[in-house]
């Protein structure tokens, strides 16, 4: 694990139900890895849906911890556990433009619903937000998405997806661009 003794900075585009943030929080506790998690969600889901989601039961964790992710105030850094720091924003413009991330979870609405989020322009911005060895992970494996990622310099790997999703994409920053 390349992040085992480091602080990992994560940016999530599309907080949605909060599953990625919850899994990252649990991972940080289990592996004693410091994670600074930043998420963007322009349209938060309703409180009723949050209470009906059974992620805490499925993951055998505290429902209060899951609820806390959703209840945290916006644009504030929250220290939710000894190893997990959490901030959420409504737009990418609210994030410090000097900040760089090790990992980007790219999960906004699908390419058909929000095509502007799946363009070379959008991925170029994500590329610039990553550290030199950063990665972007997305559930979309659509051909146009892969072409846009490659066009801005990402090297792609197709990975097995979670249940119900055959493949996901891991986009690595081009390691050939690193200074020698």
């Amino acid at each position: 694990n390349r992040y085992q003794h480091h602080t990992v900075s994560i940016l999530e585009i599309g907080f949605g139900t909060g599953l990625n943030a919850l899994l990252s929080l649990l991972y940080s506790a289990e592996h004693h890895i410091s994670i600074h998690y930043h998420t963007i969600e322009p349209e938060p889901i309703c409180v009723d849906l949050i209470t009906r989601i059974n992620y805490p039961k499925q993951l055998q964790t505290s429902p209060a911890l899951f609820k806390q992710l959703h209840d945290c105030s916006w644009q504030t850094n929250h220290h939710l556990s000894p190893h997990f720091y959490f901030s959420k924003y409504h737009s990418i413009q609210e994030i410090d433009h000097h900040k760089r991330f090790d990992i980007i979870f790219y999960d906004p609405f699908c390419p058909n619903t929000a095509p502007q989020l799946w363009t070379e322009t959008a991925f170029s911005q994500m590329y610039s937000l990553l550290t030199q060895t950063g990665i972007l992970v997305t559930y979309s494996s659509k051909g146009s998405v892969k072409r846009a990622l490659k066009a801005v310099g990402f090297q792609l790997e197709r990975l097995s997806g979670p249940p119900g999703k055959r493949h996901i994409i891991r986009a690595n920053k081009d390691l050939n661009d690193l200074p020698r």
Side-chain angles (χ1 to χ4, degrees):
N1 183 335
R2 67 174 157 175
Y3 301 115
Q4 194 161 12
H5 299 292
H6 303 283
T7 297
V8 179
S9 185
I10 297 174
L11 173 63
E12 178 183 35
I13 307 296
F15 179 63
T17 63
L19 179 59
N20 287 332
L22 179 61
L23 290 171
S24 296
L25 192 159
L26 297 174
Y27 187 89
S28 75
E30 182 179 340
H31 297 279
H32 306 285
I33 295 173
S34 182
I35 295 179
H36 291 253
Y37 198 100
H38 304 264
T39 188
I40 296 171
E41 182 56 67
E43 299 177 24
I45 63 174
C46 68
V47 174
D48 181 52
L49 181 57
I50 294 165
T51 59
R52 289 185 290 145
I53 293 174
N54 65 354
Y55 295 150
K57 183 177 179 183
Q58 291 176 13
L59 298 171
Q60 299 176 347
T61 192
S62 164
L65 191 60
F66 177 63
K67 188 173 181 322
Q68 188 177 11
L69 288 168
H70 289 278
D71 290 345
C72 284
S73 58
W74 296 81
Q75 299 175 326
T76 304
N77 190 26
H78 300 274
H79 192 182
L80 299 184
S81 75
H83 302 287
F84 194 80
Y85 300 83
F86 181 71
S87 303
K88 57 186 181 179
Y89 308 90
H90 290 290
S91 75
I92 193 90
Q93 290 77 20
E94 296 171 12
I95 292 181
D96 176 0
H97 68 279
H98 296 302
K99 193 173 287 296
R100 294 294 172 261
F101 300 93
D102 300 300
I103 301 168
I104 295 177
F105 295 145
Y106 202 80
D107 193 22
F109 291 109
C110 71
N112 294 340
T113 306
Q116 72 281 9
L117 298 175
W118 300 90
T119 63
E120 286 182 31
T121 301
F123 289 130
S124 179
Q125 183 179 22
M126 296 302 110
Y127 193 93
S128 70
L129 289 171
L130 285 168
T131 61
Q132 286 187 327
T133 57
I135 61 171
L136 179 147
V137 181
T138 182
Y139 287 111
S140 180
S141 57
K142 191 173 179 180
S144 61
V145 171
K146 291 189 281 191
R147 285 188 295 279
L149 286 164
K150 285 180 183 178
V152 300
F154 283 108
Q155 294 177 344
L156 306 186
E157 295 178 70
R158 188 170 78 168
L159 306 173
S160 296
K165 182 72 176 142
R166 194 175 335 153
H167 298 105
I168 64 171
I169 298 297
R170 178 171 54 205
N172 300 289
K173 249 186 149 173
D174 187 346
L175 299 181
N176 294 322
D177 288 344
L178 293 177
R180 298 194 192 280

